[in-house]
């Protein structure tokens, strides 16, 4: 029997009460379809209440301090990074014959002008398309993506759609179809600084309303996920693909935690309990 493909869809700073299937205010039919076709967890926890430690735990299954990540990573000022000695999920699956790709936010350390650090290639990824931290200057027309070590400069579009464009191109044009694949698809949304198409923002409020833009970034991400799921169905990979959807930690907005205590950065439920 063929081994299943594996995809991890990770949102950034998404709260427990953000998406539709958790009674949230955002229209998320693609994410909701994963819940209805699979399993929706009511008590699902991130590995930490902030970005980098949570991602280290997710990839290694170990406490983030053991993995060399103590808090969120600032590459220019900190030596911290996911230690090369750590065994990641990508490395385990690669040994089993999987092709591996990372697409989107990394935030586990990348080389900078002042510091040498491992890249996703050193952690088991055959192909990587990433930003070190957030999309800059915001989610619209980001300028800081790197493809396999090459800085790309400005790209047109919104980050979530750009990330899925690259993942689809790799799936359709570059991978060996005889082998199973493992994909990290790690979105920047709804981490600040925010940006989303105006027609989506207007569904939730005024164009200058922070909460409306926040919601629109989530719906835009759902649309990108919908494109990825449609491609899996068209290619015949859908029935043999295990998909995990989650957030790296809770929201920074009080009203988006579902009434849970605390926010991002707090070890109360609001900081670590996320959709899953």
């Amino acid at each position: 029997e063929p081994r299943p493909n594996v995809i991890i869809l990770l949102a950034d700073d998404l709260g427990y009460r953000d998406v539709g299937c958790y009674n949230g205010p955002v229209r998320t039919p693609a994410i909701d379809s994963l819940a209805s076709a699979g399993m929706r967890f009511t008590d699902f926890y991130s590995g930490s209440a902030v970005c980098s430690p949570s991602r280290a735990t997710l990839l290694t299954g170990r406490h983030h301090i053991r993995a060399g990540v103590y808090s969120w990573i600032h590459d220019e000022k900190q030596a911290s990074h996911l230690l090369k000695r750590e065994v990641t999920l990508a490395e385990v699956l690669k040994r089993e014959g999987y092709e591996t790709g990372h697409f989107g936010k990394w935030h586990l350390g990348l080389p900078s002008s002042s510091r040498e650090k491992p890249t996703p290639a050193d952690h088991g990824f055959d192909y990587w398309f990433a930003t070190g931290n957030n999309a800059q200057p915001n989610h619209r027309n980001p300028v800081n993506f790197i493809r396999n070590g090459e800085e790309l400069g400005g790209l047109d579009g919104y980050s979530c759609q750009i990330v899925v464009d690259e993942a689809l191109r790799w799936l359709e044009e570059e991978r060996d179809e005889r082998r199973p694949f493992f994909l990290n698809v790690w979105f920047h949304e709804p981490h600040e600084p925010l940006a989303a198409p105006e027609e989506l923002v207007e569904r939730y409020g005024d164009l200058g309303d922070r909460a409306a833009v926040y919601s629109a970034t989530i719906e835009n991400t759902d649309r990108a996920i919908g494109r990825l799921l449609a491609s899996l169905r068209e290619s015949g990979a859908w029935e043999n693909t295990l998909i995990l959807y989650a957030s790296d930690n809770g929201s920074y907005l009080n009203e988006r935690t579902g009434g849970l205590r605390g926010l991002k950065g707090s070890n109360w439920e609001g900081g670590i309990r996320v959709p899953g």
Side-chain angles (χ1 to χ4, degrees):
E1 193 167 307
R3 289 165 295 176
N5 307 305
V6 180
I7 299 176
I8 297 178
L9 303 172
L10 193 69
D12 193 358
D13 288 0
L14 185 87
Y16 183 72
R17 187 180 176 271
D18 267 333
V19 299
C21 56
Y22 285 83
N23 298 316
V26 184
R27 299 171 180 88
T28 53
I31 294 165
D32 298 349
S33 75
L34 295 175
S36 60
M39 184 179 295
R40 184 184 73 93
F41 292 87
T42 57
D43 295 69
F44 191 87
Y45 292 89
S46 60
S48 176
V50 291
C51 297
S52 302
S54 175
R55 293 159 192 265
T57 296
L58 176 59
L59 274 189
T60 66
R62 296 189 4 122
H63 194 286
H64 58 86
I65 290 177
R66 288 186 176 273
V69 180
Y70 311 101
S71 183
W72 68 273
I73 293 172
H74 189 294
D75 282 317
E76 292 290 346
K77 294 182 179 179
Q78 297 172 352
S80 177
H81 60 271
L82 180 62
L83 297 175
K84 201 169 180 179
R85 71 185 185 213
E86 291 300 302
V87 179
T88 68
L89 182 56
E91 290 173 284
V92 171
L93 292 177
K94 188 172 180 177
R95 287 201 295 261
E96 296 298 318
Y98 279 70
E99 283 200 290
T100 59
H102 174 88
F103 302 88
K105 180 172 176 175
W106 177 244
H107 211 185
L108 289 168
L110 285 178
S112 69
S113 58
S114 58
R115 300 182 188 277
E116 287 295 319
K117 297 185 181 184
T119 73
D122 298 308
H123 291 299
F125 289 97
D126 299 315
Y127 185 98
W128 60 280
F129 174 79
T131 62
N133 190 351
N134 305 316
Q136 295 295 339
N138 54 45
H139 300 138
R140 184 173 182 268
N141 299 340
V143 300
N144 58 329
F145 271 94
I146 302 167
R147 180 189 290 126
N148 298 323
E150 179 186 354
E151 295 183 6
L152 300 178
L155 299 175
D156 293 333
Y158 290 90
S159 179
C160 58
Q161 302 292 347
I162 291 168
V163 166
V164 166
D165 283 344
E166 188 79 6
L168 290 176
R169 189 184 68 78
W170 183 82
L171 284 170
E172 295 166 2
E173 299 176 12
E174 296 207 22
R175 75 178 181 92
D176 182 349
E177 294 186 0
R178 297 167 297 180
R179 297 167 60 190
F181 60 80
F182 167 58
L183 292 189
N184 265 351
V185 184
W186 288 6
F187 298 105
H188 301 83
E189 292 87 349
H191 197 297
E192 293 185 305
L194 301 167
E198 289 186 357
E199 54 105 358
L200 291 183
V201 178
E202 289 173 340
R203 292 186 180 210
Y204 301 98
D206 296 333
L207 294 180
D209 179 8
R210 179 190 186 200
V213 183
Y214 175 97
S215 290
T217 70
I218 298 168
E219 183 169 348
N220 201 23
T221 304
D222 186 79
R223 290 185 173 188
I225 290 171
R227 293 172 50 223
L228 178 60
L229 301 185
S231 176
L232 294 175
R233 290 186 175 96
E234 290 166 10
S235 70
W238 170 257
E239 293 295 335
N240 193 42
T241 301
L242 174 65
I243 302 171
L244 170 68
Y245 173 81
S247 177
D248 62 345
N249 47 252
S251 178
Y252 49 85
L253 297 179
N254 274 306
E255 64 272 22
R256 307 307 274 267
T257 64
L260 302 175
R261 183 179 182 182
L263 298 170
K264 172 186 178 179
S266 160
N267 285 329
W268 298 113
E269 294 274 293
I272 57 175
R273 186 169 166 184
V274 296

